[in-house]
Amino acid sequence: RAHLIASHEVQMGQSAVKCVFGDSGDKDKSPKGTQDATVAPASNVAAVGQEPLAEGQYTVEEAIAIQNALRNSFADAAFQQQLRRLEAMHPKRGQRCHADRQAFATEFHALLLQVLHKVLPQRPWCLESGWTGFREMTSRMESVAKDPRVLQIKEDINRFLGLPRNTVLRPLAEEPVVMHMPDGSGSVPSYENVLITDLDGDWAHEFWEEDRSGQLKRTLPCGA
């Protein structure tokens, strides 16, 4: 974590997010200190004695670069402030069956999406934003996922998120229909056809009314 908080609160936070990301299985919850990795120029040639990388797979340097970008965004003071505020809003998130538990998990998920939407589409990665790009990134890192430098940055990310160090980030099992976006980055749907307005001021593509026999019939609002 970027700031020290009560150990009881840490335990509650970790417990609440397990339902989103799954238990790491690691009993050692103490995070390692951050170690800045030195990123060398990317190379498509595997190290001596290693098999060549499969097509589309990141080199270690490329994996370190994109992981560093994510880590820096999660460590940013503004993100950490939002995370602290979210934890304060759901003090009982560690209790099973408490409303705070699911509410915290959903809003924590939305907070992660802010970073994924911002970082993943950037050059040189040019991935899709959100969890779609995150899955592609994870898939392209499979060849180097066990490299100690890559593992260290993953642990750093989990530490900034208040998670056990070996937690695997995953999207919610079922995406909510409506999600709160504290930074106002939510998308606004657009429509191919122009909306029309009826006399009551309601907007729609078409209007239906029930006739005397109880049958619904499509109608055209006056003035449309």
Side-chain angles (χ1 to χ4, degrees), residues 19-21 102 105-106 109 131 135 170-176 179:
C19 61
V20 184
F21 304 108
Q102 183 59 42
T106 301
H109 177 271
W131 289 110
R135 293 188 187 95
R170 298 188 183 95
L172 290 173
E174 183 176 341
E175 294 287 345
M179 182 179 297

Side-chain angles (χ1 to χ4, degrees), residues 22-183:
D23 192 354
S24 64
D26 190 337
K27 301 302 181 182
D28 180 10
K29 307 299 183 183
S30 58
K32 293 183 179 180
T34 304
Q35 298 179 2
D36 291 329
T38 302
V39 181
S43 172
N44 292 326
V45 181
V48 177
Q50 294 182 349
E51 296 182 1
L53 291 174
E55 183 178 357
Q57 288 289 294
Y58 287 146
T59 64
V60 172
E61 290 76 16
E62 289 170 334
I64 289 175
I66 190 170
Q67 289 288 91
N68 269 333
L70 290 171
R71 180 184 64 180
N72 293 341
S73 293
F74 289 130
D76 183 75
F79 179 91
Q80 289 294 310
Q81 184 179 15
Q82 291 184 72
L83 180 57
R84 299 289 87 75
R85 183 169 59 248
L86 182 59
E87 291 171 342
M89 290 171 55
H90 305 287
K92 297 183 179 180
R93 60 191 178 277
Q95 298 182 14
R96 286 185 178 276
C97 302
H98 195 282
D100 277 2
R101 185 182 182 91
Q102 183 59 42
F104 176 81
T106 301
E107 295 189 41
F108 183 79
H109 177 271
L111 198 58
L112 295 181
L113 280 177
Q114 293 182 26
V115 172
L116 300 185
H117 285 316
K118 179 181 71 173
V119 173
L120 298 184
Q122 294 179 4
R123 293 177 180 273
W125 312 295
C126 301
L127 300 172
E128 289 191 46
S129 64
W131 289 110
T132 300
F134 185 85
R135 293 188 187 95
E136 181 180 353
M137 178 196 73
T138 302
S139 175
R140 297 181 67 177
M141 288 175 52
E142 287 181 354
S143 297
V144 297
K146 300 299 182 181
D147 187 279
R149 293 166 291 176
V150 175
L151 291 174
Q152 179 61 61
I153 301 175
K154 287 183 178 180
E155 291 180 7
D156 292 343
I157 288 175
N158 286 333
R159 179 168 61 88
F160 284 120
L161 295 176
L163 301 172
R165 65 180 187 178
N166 288 338
T167 298
V168 177
L169 298 180
R170 298 188 183 95
L172 290 173
E174 183 176 341
E175 294 287 345
V177 176
V178 179
M179 182 179 297
H180 176 58
M181 302 297 288
D183 65 342

Side-chain angles (χ1 to χ4, degrees), residues 210-215:
E210 185 177 354
D211 62 16
R212 294 181 179 180
S213 64
Q215 298 295 318

